[in-house]
Amino acid sequence: MPSENLEAMFHPKSVAIIGASNTSGKVGHTVLQNMQESYSGLVFPINPKADSIFNHKAYPSVLDIPKKHEIDLAIICIPSRFCIPVIEECGKRGVKCLVIISAGFKEIGGEGRIRELEIVELAKRYKMRVLGPNCLGLITNGNFSFASITPKKGHIAMLSQSGAMMTGLLDWAVEQDIGFSSFISLGNKCDADEVDYIEYLAQDENTKVIAGYIESVQDGEKFFRVVSAAAKKKPVILLKSGRSVAGAKAASSHTGAMAGSDIAFDLAFKKTGVIRADTISDLFNYALTFLQAPIPKGDAFAIITNAGGPGIVCTDAMEKEGVPIARFSAETVNKLKEKLPAESNFYNPVDIIGDAPPERYHDAIDILFSTPDTEVAGGIVLLTPQAQTNPMGVAKLCGQLHTKYPSKVMIGAFIGGVSVSKPAAELMKNGVPVYPFPEDAVRVIRGLIDHGQNQLQPLITEKVITQIEVNSQRVREIIEQARADHRVVLLSHETAEIFEHYGIRSPKSRLAQTARDAATMAEDLGFPVVMKIVSPDIIHKWDLGGVILNINTAQGAKEAFMTIMTNAKTKGPSGANIYGVEVQEMIVTSDKQKSTELILGINRDPTWGPMLMVGSGGIYANYVKDVAFDLAFHFDQDDASLLLQKTRIFQILKGVRGEPSSDIKGVIQILIRLSQLVNDFEDILELDINPCLIFEDTAGYSAVDIKITIKQ
């Protein structure tokens, strides 16, 4: 359903509270009490055992509310076992939106999961939007929650998948005097999810920044489509929990083992323009900075400090975060020399010495901020409260300079406690974000740069993707034949044929099931050949002698077949399913035709779809781990080129120490065609090419060893 249908949830003119109560301590009592203090619309308490609650007439059910009143929103605060008939009554009464605070649904499994499915069915039948169940509620033009605090109004919209997190954040925000346009507890997300709310909030005139704590995303494609558009309109900042490797599932392929769901979230957020917060403090630091600071018109920043140590720490943080350090022109340096003491450092970071009065800060910032944006886009003002320092005076002058240079980014880092708390508040009052340490200031600048760069990029959903024509029917037949054989791993000759259909070069191969077959096939393919064990249960073939190279005769092929089969049966997993031995055309290189080994692969993320990988290949791929990832969603040639450039092996491919470059264009074509393959066939769960030999110049490549795993 479109996000416009959420209007009645965010700005209801009438609200029914099902489970409203006169008994202190009950959820229905707290919700109605909060509304008494924050909401001016029509209120209808629903409780069959009460005549009135908080001086409002109570009704036995929503069906008993006079027909002249429309009901925009119903808040349900009753035990889950009673919810389904009540929700159906809401549907019959024409209620537009529901907030189901009640717990006891899919989070407990069993009957709870069945009840939640019934809610979804009823919501669709009666076209009601649902927040929850198992949530704290929401705070918009009233406090429709059982939180103990109502924050002040502001321009940050906050989403939280955790109700407990929401209560903690609200308590902290009130102490920090932070206001919100909306605060939404997502709960189980049986209907409306974080994407629906982000879409709505992107259109909300009271919201300037969208922030959220999430634990999962249900529909990756919907997220790409909606959130990428929202992030063009307003900053979207998300804290996603679950970064640990321990939370990732083990995978059978190289690609799956080196990938992880958190990498996929990182990639998805970058593609959609979402700023990812690593910590709760980062989440609010970003949000407050985006409310006050302009998007930088350049990307190089100055550091102004009255202490050398913090200046060095700030410089290190900028290098780590990839924030360029401004290089001053000779004219700027000369102006600084005219105004600052001889002991000062006139280059970045600008150290104005520990005895600096406010006027010295003013002179340095004024000179730097008067430069073109391409020279200095803004600056971090560092202050430590030394004996001669006047923090409040510095804060006031910074406020004046912020007014004088509104397009320049000014971020404060006032290091200290009691000496800088009031000056920091003065800065914030004057529109200058300020943080206790330099690293915080640098991170928010990185966020501003990222958001600014996102505004310049085309929407990911508007990218035009060129596709090649393939024989999809034949590829489908190969996959279905594997299923009919009760296999999830395709055989080598099957992968070779699929690659041929997609124009990806790989050696010709055959499947031999006897030594005689091996000899005949080797002669047909032409010597030399390589022979490999074919078994979905044997992952690392080299380790058990399952691969033999440089076979040059028919007799050699027979002997290799018997050796490989013996090794597989004696050294492989007990009961391994062995289909035979692959006889494959061997790609022979020489001193005149050198090659570089790459690994390429696909791992299908359950949320974000196929994720591509490329990097250093060969037998040490899992140990070197020189790889880079990208999602295959709307993946084009530019994406492929940037992906390859993220690897260290890219420098080798370009050619070093006088060596010629490798066929980089060929690698880019492989990546593009792999992305089409896995987008065409959702059946493909994992795909590995290791090694993929990349030859010099335009001599091409060869996908030597391929593994494709499909859904059962």
Side-chain angles (χ1 to χ4, degrees):
M1 299 182 199
S3 63
E4 294 81 36
N5 292 347
L6 295 172
E7 179 67 19
M9 186 183 294
F10 279 83
H11 298 101
K13 297 175 182 176
S14 56
V15 181
I17 305 94
I18 300 170
S21 175
N22 281 312
T23 305
S24 179
K26 289 198 170 185
V27 172
H29 179 90
T30 303
V31 171
L32 190 48
Q33 186 176 42
N34 284 340
M35 289 175 59
Q36 284 287 103
E37 300 166 357
S38 63
Y39 177 64
S40 58
L42 296 174
V43 177
F44 302 105
I46 307 298
N47 188 326
K49 298 180 180 179
D51 294 324
S52 67
I53 304 172
F54 281 103
N55 296 320
H56 295 284
K57 176 179 171 55
Y59 297 89
S61 82
V62 292
L63 297 176
D64 296 307
I65 298 171
K67 301 295 184 186
K68 64 180 180 179
H69 298 298
E70 287 190 353
I71 306 170
D72 286 336
L73 177 65
I75 304 172
I76 298 176
C77 316
I78 58 176
S80 60
R81 63 184 183 277
F82 301 126
C83 283
I84 300 305
V86 166
I87 290 170
E88 182 149 27
E89 288 178 351
C90 288
K92 291 177 179 178
R93 182 60 177 79
V95 174
K96 298 173 184 176
C97 293
L98 303 177
V99 173
I100 305 176
I101 291 175
S102 312
F105 293 92
K106 75 176 180 184
E107 77 277 5
I108 66 169
E111 292 183 6
R113 183 176 294 276
I114 294 171
R115 280 195 291 266
E116 188 159 320
L117 291 173
E118 291 183 70
I119 293 174
V120 173
E121 193 278 324
L122 288 170
K124 287 180 179 178
R125 185 192 309 170
Y126 292 106
K127 298 181 180 179
M128 296 182 289
R129 299 311 309 263
V130 181
L131 172 62
N134 184 32
C135 71
L136 200 73
L138 81 159
I139 302 171
T140 56
N141 68 331
N143 186 345
F144 310 117
S145 78
F146 66 96
S148 59
I149 294 173
T150 300
K152 75 172 190 177
K153 296 301 290 183
H155 298 290
I156 299 172
M158 175 64 69
L159 315 167
S160 178
Q161 197 165 339
S162 163
M165 179 77 81
M166 177 176 170
T167 58
L169 293 178
L170 280 171
D171 194 69
W172 179 84
V174 168
E175 184 184 33
Q176 300 295 316
D177 198 35
I178 298 172
F180 297 94
S181 59
S182 301
F183 212 124
I184 305 142
S185 170
L186 297 171
N188 290 4
K189 304 188 294 187
C190 79
D191 169 40
D193 60 15
E194 65 286 328
V195 178
D196 295 303
Y197 294 113
I198 289 171
E199 183 177 31
Y200 176 85
L201 293 166
Q203 310 294 335
D204 178 35
E205 62 182 16
N206 294 319
T207 297
K208 294 182 180 178
V209 177
I210 302 168
Y213 165 77
I214 63 171
E215 296 168 355
S216 64
V217 170
Q218 294 171 318
D219 187 338
E221 187 169 347
K222 175 182 171 185
F223 190 98
F224 279 127
R225 176 173 44 82
V226 173
V227 178
S228 60
K232 293 289 187 186
K233 300 172 183 174
K234 297 173 184 178
V236 179
I237 308 153
L238 296 177
L239 171 62
K240 161 67 174 66
S241 61
R243 277 189 176 273
S244 63
V245 177
K249 294 181 179 179
S252 62
S253 69
H254 292 283
T255 308
M258 287 190 276
S261 63
D262 193 62
I263 292 175
F265 268 92
D266 260 344
L267 295 168
F269 285 3
K270 286 176 184 176
K271 279 185 176 291
T272 52
V274 169
I275 305 299
R276 184 169 188 178
D278 289 329
T279 65
I280 296 171
S281 60
D282 279 348
L283 183 68
F284 279 97
N285 288 350
Y286 284 132
L288 292 172
T289 297
F290 278 115
L291 276 182
Q292 297 176 301
I295 300 300
K297 294 185 177 180
D299 62 1
F301 290 81
I303 302 168
I304 304 96
T305 179
N306 69 341
I312 295 170
V313 170
C314 191
T315 303
D316 289 344
M318 290 174 75
E319 186 172 329
K320 179 184 177 183
E321 296 291 337
V323 176
I325 299 170
R327 293 181 178 273
F328 306 145
S329 66
E331 181 183 359
T332 301
V333 172
N334 288 333
K335 287 181 180 179
L336 290 170
K337 287 180 177 179
E338 290 174 6
K339 287 287 188 178
L340 303 180
E343 299 84 5
S344 302
N345 183 54
F346 308 107
Y347 303 91
N348 220 354
V350 178
D351 188 346
I352 59 175
I353 312 302
D355 65 350
E359 291 74 21
R360 199 179 296 166
Y361 270 98
H362 179 279
D363 290 342
I365 298 169
D366 194 30
I367 290 168
L368 295 172
F369 277 28
S370 66
T371 62
D373 292 321
T374 52
E375 183 177 349
V376 177
I380 297 174
V381 181
L382 301 178
L383 180 145
T384 59
Q386 301 177 48
Q388 298 88 351
T389 310
N390 178 357
M392 182 58 79
V394 174
K396 288 182 178 179
L397 286 176
C398 283
Q400 293 173 15
L401 289 166
H402 173 62
T403 302
K404 183 178 179 180
Y405 300 104
S407 67
K408 298 283 189 179
V409 175
M410 183 187 293
I411 308 291
F414 278 30
I415 304 169
V418 293
S419 300
V420 299
S421 59
K422 289 183 179 178
E426 176 71 16
L427 277 175
M428 293 292 286
K429 184 181 75 173
N430 290 317
V432 179
V434 59
Y435 301 103
F437 300 111
E439 297 91 339
D440 299 317
V442 172
R443 277 195 295 275
V444 297
I445 286 178
R446 179 70 260 175
L448 289 169
I449 293 172
D450 289 344
H451 182 61
Q453 290 175 344
N454 177 59
Q455 304 312 298
L456 302 176
Q457 300 300 317
L459 270 174
I460 185 172
T461 52
E462 293 178 354
K463 290 167 66 175
V464 178
I465 306 300
T466 303
Q467 294 192 319
I468 60 170
E469 291 187 14
V470 297
N471 186 347
S472 299
Q473 179 59 34
R474 175 56 190 152
V475 176
R476 171 67 57 200
E477 288 172 0
I478 294 171
I479 292 172
E480 292 304 330
Q481 182 58 54
R483 282 213 181 96
D485 293 343
H486 305 289
R487 288 186 284 115
V488 294
V489 178
L490 300 187
L491 302 179
S492 299
H493 67 282
E494 293 170 332
T495 61
E497 185 179 350
I498 289 175
F499 271 36
E500 184 178 349
H501 286 300
Y502 276 84
I504 302 172
R505 301 172 208 155
S506 63
K508 298 175 184 177
S509 69
R510 304 284 189 273
L511 178 64
Q513 295 178 320
T514 68
R516 180 177 293 178
D517 286 344
T520 303
M521 291 174 180
E523 288 181 320
D524 289 343
L525 291 175
F527 297 107
V529 296
V530 57
M531 294 174 61
K532 313 171 191 178
I533 192 68
V534 178
S535 170
D537 302 316
I538 299 175
I539 306 301
H540 303 295
K541 305 180 178 97
W542 284 95
D543 297 347
L544 52 74
V547 180
I548 297 179
L549 306 174
N550 291 311
I551 301 164
N552 289 294
T553 65
Q555 182 60 31
K558 288 182 180 180
E559 293 171 359
F561 180 93
M562 292 184 286
T563 299
I564 290 171
M565 291 294 283
T566 300
N567 288 341
K569 291 174 181 176
T570 57
K571 299 177 183 179
S574 177
N577 191 7
I578 298 171
Y579 289 99
V581 175
E582 176 188 8
V583 183
Q584 185 183 72
E585 174 189 8
M586 186 170 175
I587 305 301
V588 180
T589 60
S590 64
D591 290 339
K592 293 183 179 180
Q593 189 188 38
K594 293 181 179 179
S595 64
T596 302
E597 293 186 338
L598 293 188
I599 180 171
L600 296 99
I602 301 287
N603 184 62
R604 189 173 294 276
D605 184 86
T607 300
W608 305 110
M611 180 163 53
L612 290 154
M613 182 189 77
V614 65
S616 301
I619 60 175
Y620 301 118
N622 275 24
Y623 301 97
V624 175
K625 292 187 177 178
D626 168 32
V627 291
F629 299 91
D630 200 356
L631 296 171
F633 183 82
H634 286 236
F635 186 86
D636 63 12
Q637 184 161 317
D638 290 339
D639 294 322
S641 179
L642 289 172
L643 176 60
L644 187 58
Q645 290 174 43
K646 292 177 183 177
T647 65
R648 296 193 300 275
I649 196 71
F650 177 69
Q651 298 303 319
I652 306 297
L653 294 173
K654 283 169 56 178
V656 294
R657 295 198 165 197
E659 293 182 349
S661 62
S662 300
D663 187 7
I664 292 173
K665 290 183 179 179
V667 181
I668 290 171
Q669 285 303 308
I670 302 174
L671 289 167
I672 293 171
R673 294 180 182 201
L674 285 178
S675 71
Q676 181 177 336
L677 168 62
V678 293
N679 280 316
D680 287 347
F681 292 95
E682 292 186 0
D683 309 81
I684 298 175
L685 291 179
E686 293 182 344
L687 183 153
D688 263 348
I689 309 172
N690 187 34
C692 183
L693 300 181
I694 312 300
F695 303 116
E696 293 176 356
D697 297 321
T698 57
Y701 63 84
S702 181
V704 175
D705 197 342
I706 309 162
K707 178 187 174 186
I708 296 178
T709 304
I710 61 173
K711 294 179 182 178
Q712 291 183 347

